[in-house]
Amino acid sequence: MLAGQGVAGQSRPAVVNLAWMNADDLRWTETDLAGRPCRVFNLPDNGVPRYTIVYLHRLNPQELDSEWFAAALTRRQVQAVCPLAGPSWWADRICLPFDKEVTAEQFVLDHALPLAREVSGGESARVGLLGIGMGGQGALRIAYKHPELFLFVAAVDPAIDYQQRIDEGDRVLASMYRDVEDARQDTATLHIHPLNWPRHQWFCCDPNDWRWYDSVERLRMKLYSLGVPHECDLETEGVDRPEGYLQTMIDPALQFVTKRLDQL
């Protein structure tokens, strides 16, 4: 059994009810983690992972059921802890579809990260942070706010300026923030500290992505102006968006994290 600390210093429930997702595919397990569902990716054939990451899913987390995502994790020998947080945008705001007392960010810090460290080899284990879309911006924002916990972060197609969805009628976000400006102030770009940042960060966005590219480019410009080291790919174009682009870029994202973990 796995145990650890919960919110406000309370012991979190042991991880229980471990069950295989598919009898023919013994890679994903789903478990109860502090009362919330969480998936864990295990290498096939009892393979021993070389790396462990916390993965933050996108708004529609269909990648968790896709062959290309599992294949990329297997190829890079990565074990992934994937908490399921619904449309929470991984923010430090109460999102009722997720939980009425605990924010998605708190859940990552208090439960998903300790679990990832536990399965990786102990409290001192280094764990990478990766996300796509909604999870991409969440990964960056959490890493910017807690660089001492996440030295390595990668984001594919991060939805940085998600506040625009409030004007488009997103009721969940409207319930989490007072208004559009309140949400904008909570975006990843505005959480960058000029003197304290994750030591290794990488992100990418398709230049044809009319929805998110401009905000990702603004993030790059701010990091550059502050002299914050980072790597990014804002040039590679996707085919058959969005799935084709994600399938192309997930491997470079995982490669970045695993190579940096190798340097420890």
Side-chain angles (χ1 to χ4, degrees), residues 223-243:
L223 291 171
Y224 177 80
S225 66
L226 292 174
V228 176
H230 64 283
E231 297 181 34
C232 63
D233 181 346
L234 305 185
E235 298 179 354
T236 299
E237 298 183 8
V239 177
D240 188 25
R241 280 194 49 83
E243 296 304 306

Side-chain angles (χ1 to χ4, degrees), residues 24-57:
D24 298 321
D25 183 358
L26 305 184
R27 290 177 293 185
W28 286 105
T29 62
E30 184 166 319
T31 185
D32 178 286
L33 179 60
R36 302 296 308 174
C38 179
R39 290 191 184 185
V40 178
F41 180 83
N42 304 285
L43 295 179
D45 301 320
N46 296 317
V48 178
R50 293 183 60 191
Y51 316 96
T52 302
I53 64 170
V54 172
Y55 173 74
L56 307 185
H57 62 73

